[in-house]
Amino acid sequence: MTSEPRRLHPAAVGVEALSALRGMAIPLFVVAVLGSGGSVGGVLVYGVIGLVASAFVAWLTWETTRWWLQPDEVRLKTGVISEKIVSIPLDRVQAIDTVHGPVQRVFGVAELHVQSAGGGKHGEIVLKAVAAAQAEELREAVRRAGAIADGRAQAAEQEATARPEAPAAVGQSAGPQAAWRLGRGALLAAALTSGSFGVLLPVLAGASQVLDDVIGFDDAERLLPHSVGAVAVIAGVALAVAWILSIGGTLIAFAGFTVAREGDRLRIQRGFLERRVASVPVARVHAVRVVESLLRQPFGLATVRIETAGYADEAATAQTLLPLVRRRDADALVARLLPELAPDVVAPLTPPPSRALRRYVTPPAAAALLVGAGVGIAFAPLGLLALVLLVPAVAFGVSDYRAAGWARAGDLVVLRWRGLMGRTTATADARRLQRVSTAASPFQRRAALTTLRVAVSSGAKFGVWHLDGPTADALRDDLAAAAITPPPRR
Amino acid sequence: MDDPAPEPANRLPSRARALWTLQYVAATLFATVVVGSTVGLPWLLVPLVGGALFSAVVPTVRYARWRYEIRDEEIDLRHGAWTVTRTLVPIRRVQHVDTEAGVIQSAMDLRTVTFHTAAGKTEIPAVAVHEAEAIRRRVADLARTRDDV
């Protein structure tokens, strides 16, 4: 029996229009200013055109979108020109996360992200605007399907083991076992130290493309800076803008952040303009990462992220467990929220052998030497000052060496290294590893050094460079053996 | 684990070396023509000599090193011309297995076998067609009985 197709709540038109506008805003602004020659009327006309265009596209999207709640699955059909249908069996629904954006709040609806256990491109169905009653209907259907699935699994288990199993712990306690909130001061600190300059790149890219298209090459040449001083000023302004954007972005995204352990799930809520709620099944969290970025490590601060199996790429809400904590508090907090991924005894990490120090220092030093020499020759003689880059390069190499290490603790493996994101300490369930590998270049082989890498179920990869060869090989085999053993039934 | 895991035993068919040589030679010719016609005649010696060296050395070393083995619980790979990599993939993590071939590969009855896990893919390049099919079936059967993420 196929149920009736449902439309999304009309608020979805507003949601789509808003996100289309957000994407178009900066290029549109640049086009408007340049194309109209700076007249206010011209800018307004472009603005109105943009608004009407996004509204039309949004309406068209809403008109061609349908979803169904079948007895056994939830299905979404989208696509104006070519139709795309994604369906998720109800008993494979891992979570229904919500987003309450400004439009949704005005109309009293919610954006639902239905996560399936499979992940990948069929891993998520997003319903942009669903009325509360229908959302509850969906949740109830999922709960019933999950209960049936659990019952079936229990029956199968009882048959297989041929002895009465204790009833599966439902784990729905009255309140959360452990909870944590991001205080206002911490939110500010997180925003100030976030330094995600990547925010600037798409803005710059969009602007430069529009500049290329709208004004000719000769005009663009006139706009370019012609002196070192001007370049420095523009770089400084760009950096400042990027910093401000990243501060604002962090404040908006993480305001009111709370995380709570409720039974076998982690409930993560965050967001100011868009309130997001994610309910992460703990059984799917297979690794934890404590990241001390360049801006945060000097203050003894860190971010804690979780690696979860089966989440679609854009489910960022489910990725951050603790946006900003003191490094020395991180382990204890993780032990309260995720005891499954906290080692019973905090073992000291085994560092790489001392002969590895040279390998850690050489690449950054060589790079600094090359850049310094290049700049020195090009801008001689003052450019030779660039050789001073050698000092921080060597310092980075040494700190990379000192950050590296590994440890085994029961079912867990701990790897620590300094990478692009900062000093990262990753704790993973060895029984859930997806892949373990060791690699050695000819230089490493000569010094009996090996690089160890593991991949976890979220797709994240962890690795430590230049470990002692035999030790790394033994660790690889040990981890592979752990990953092979059948996991316990949870 | 007391003893170290034994090294994988199976080698690729010898025509894998011919395949890679062909691919490198084709790339060398292409790069030589492109560089020669855009940058200038003397410069084409760079891709020509470099490519010739690569085509002569890399396929031989890579072929000599490649080893794979499909055990009951894991896939064991060892490979690499420059950096030697040893990879272990638990069978229970394999979600599905693909075989595919480009035009030249197909003509030489070779296939690339790709194992997909939640963390991405792992490949065995240039396996004989019948062997590729056997691997695919074996891993699919083994993975089915152990299914979990």
Side-chain angles (χ1 to χ4, degrees):
Chain A
M1 181 195 76
T2 308
S3 53
E4 287 300 303
R6 307 166 187 231
R7 286 173 185 261
L8 295 174
H9 191 278
V13 179
V15 175
E16 292 274 11
L18 196 66
S19 59
L21 264 179
R22 251 206 310 236
M24 290 203 303
I26 305 223
L28 192 67
F29 180 71
V30 177
V31 170
V33 168
L34 293 170
S36 65
S39 72
V40 178
V43 174
L44 276 177
V45 168
Y46 275 98
V48 168
I49 293 177
L51 215 78
V52 170
S54 355
F56 177 68
V57 169
W59 175 83
L60 204 61
T61 309
W62 173 80
E63 173 60 38
T64 55
T65 302
R66 298 281 187 282
W67 66 283
W68 291 258
L69 180 54
Q70 313 272 51
D72 57 343
E73 69 176 11
V74 55
R75 190 190 306 169
L76 175 70
K77 174 173 92 78
T78 53
V80 176
I81 302 171
S82 58
E83 192 182 272
K84 177 174 149 189
I85 299 186
V86 181
S87 62
I88 299 179
L90 289 179
D91 60 359
R92 304 268 299 167
V93 173
Q94 173 172 287
I96 302 178
D97 298 338
T98 61
V99 179
H100 283 92
V103 179
Q104 285 99 346
R105 273 193 274 204
V106 165
F107 289 92
V109 298
E111 175 174 318
L112 300 182
H113 290 236
V114 184
Q115 309 283 351
S116 95
K121 48 181 168 47
H122 285 256
E124 189 184 47
I125 284 180
V126 178
L127 302 169
K128 293 269 183 193
V130 178
Q134 297 197 353
E136 189 49 38
E137 206 183 325
L138 178 58
R139 282 187 203 281
E140 186 51 40
V142 168
R143 243 174 266 140
R144 258 183 287 125
I148 298 171
D150 274 341
R152 266 205 297 265
Q154 244 188 299
E157 203 179 305
Q158 283 178 337
E159 278 177 35
T161 55
R163 59 181 163 83
E165 286 278 337
V170 172
Q172 292 302 320
S173 40
Q177 283 101 299
W180 183 88
R181 228 189 77 239
L182 182 71
R184 282 212 199 93
L187 173 64
L188 194 62
L192 287 172
T193 56
S194 61
S196 41
F197 298 106
V199 161
L200 192 63
L201 289 170
V203 174
L204 277 178
S208 74
Q209 183 60 46
V210 172
L211 277 170
D212 271 339
D213 294 338
V214 172
I215 37 181
F217 182 69
D218 296 325
D219 291 335
E221 264 242 310
R222 271 191 295 116
L223 290 174
L224 284 175
H226 286 278
S227 69
V228 178
V231 172
V233 166
I234 291 186
V237 169
L239 234 62
V241 169
W243 195 39
I244 290 174
L245 280 174
S246 110
I247 291 178
T250 307
L251 284 174
I252 291 175
F254 285 99
F257 182 99
T258 65
V259 54
R261 173 68 182 262
E262 295 171 354
D264 60 350
R265 288 182 171 253
L266 283 170
R267 194 183 185 83
I268 303 175
Q269 302 188 44
R270 65 173 173 95
F272 170 59
L273 279 178
E274 282 186 338
R275 189 85 189 143
R276 297 173 179 270
V277 181
S279 175
V280 182
V282 167
R284 317 285 293 188
V285 180
H286 296 155
V288 176
R289 259 193 300 158
V290 179
V291 182
E292 300 163 83
S293 68
L294 210 59
L295 287 175
R296 290 180 173 151
Q297 192 179 353
F299 300 102
L301 300 172
T303 303
V304 181
R305 295 212 158 84
I306 47 176
E307 301 294 331
T308 315
Y311 258 88
D313 297 313
E314 49 120 285
T317 319
Q319 285 172 3
T320 305
L321 186 72
L322 305 168
L324 193 79
V325 283
R326 272 191 280 262
R327 178 62 184 96
R328 62 172 189 266
D329 297 336
D331 295 331
L333 278 167
V334 171
R336 279 176 44 216
L337 290 165
L338 273 175
E340 293 85 353
L341 284 169
D344 294 323
V345 180
V346 181
L349 299 178
T350 310
S354 45
R355 64 185 186 278
L357 173 59
R358 198 154 55 88
R359 271 91 188 169
Y360 274 98
V361 172
T362 309
L369 208 64
L370 242 101
V371 169
V375 172
I377 294 172
F379 294 99
L382 207 66
L384 278 172
L385 273 178
L387 280 173
V388 85
L389 281 172
L390 222 72
V391 174
V394 170
F396 266 111
V398 173
S399 85
D400 285 358
Y401 167 75
R402 293 183 43 202
W406 65 275
R408 280 285 268 137
D411 290 323
L412 305 173
V413 58
V414 183
L415 297 176
R416 194 176 72 178
W417 71 95
R418 177 186 300 285
L420 284 168
M421 294 204 291
R423 185 167 72 175
T424 306
T425 311
T427 307
D429 186 345
R431 299 165 301 179
R432 298 297 202 169
L433 293 175
Q434 301 285 314
R435 185 172 65 236
V436 186
S437 65
T438 50
S441 70
F443 305 120
Q444 282 177 301
R445 291 202 290 277
R446 222 161 29 135
L449 293 171
T450 305
T451 299
L452 178 90
R453 288 193 189 88
V454 303
V456 294
S457 50
S458 66
K461 298 164 180 49
F462 310 139
V464 186
W465 290 74
H466 307 309
L467 294 175
D468 173 55
T471 312
D473 289 344
L475 179 60
R476 173 199 69 212
D477 295 337
D478 175 37
L479 291 175
I484 281 166
T485 52
R489 299 226 166 268
R490 302 219 209 194
Chain B
M1 290 282 313
D2 340 54
D3 339 296
E7 298 269 316
N10 306 324
R11 303 189 62 170
L12 300 176
S14 54
R15 58 189 189 277
R17 182 174 43 186
L19 170 73
W20 292 326
T21 311
L22 224 77
Q23 290 173 332
Y24 273 113
V25 167
T28 304
L29 286 173
F30 181 72
T32 308
V33 168
V34 168
V35 171
S37 56
T38 54
V39 183
L41 276 168
W43 284 102
L44 66 75
L45 280 174
V46 171
L48 191 64
V49 172
L53 271 168
F54 253 77
S55 313
V57 172
V58 174
T60 308
V61 178
R62 189 187 292 170
Y63 166 72
R65 282 245 173 82
W66 246 104
R67 299 282 188 286
Y68 69 90
E69 194 161 335
I70 317 290
R71 305 203 185 92
D72 284 341
E73 300 285 358
E74 70 201 346
I75 299 163
D76 193 343
L77 306 175
R78 187 170 187 275
H79 60 93
W82 178 259
T83 301
V84 179
T85 306
R86 178 91 181 274
T87 305
L88 298 164
V89 180
I91 297 269
R92 63 185 344 114
R93 300 283 125 77
V94 176
Q95 291 177 341
H96 61 96
V97 187
D98 287 339
T99 60
E100 64 174 11
V103 177
I104 312 181
Q105 266 183 308
S106 216
M108 299 177 81
D109 283 336
L110 291 171
R111 295 283 183 274
T112 300
V113 182
T114 309
F115 308 103
H116 294 264
T117 64
K121 40 189 194 166
T122 306
E123 301 183 336
I124 308 178
V127 188
V129 186
H130 57 87
E131 175 71 7
E133 189 48 38
I135 294 175
R136 200 187 60 76
R137 246 182 295 124
R138 173 132 191 260
V139 174
D141 282 341
L142 289 170
R144 208 198 322 272
T145 58
R146 287 155 176 71
D147 175 42
D148 69 63
V149 165

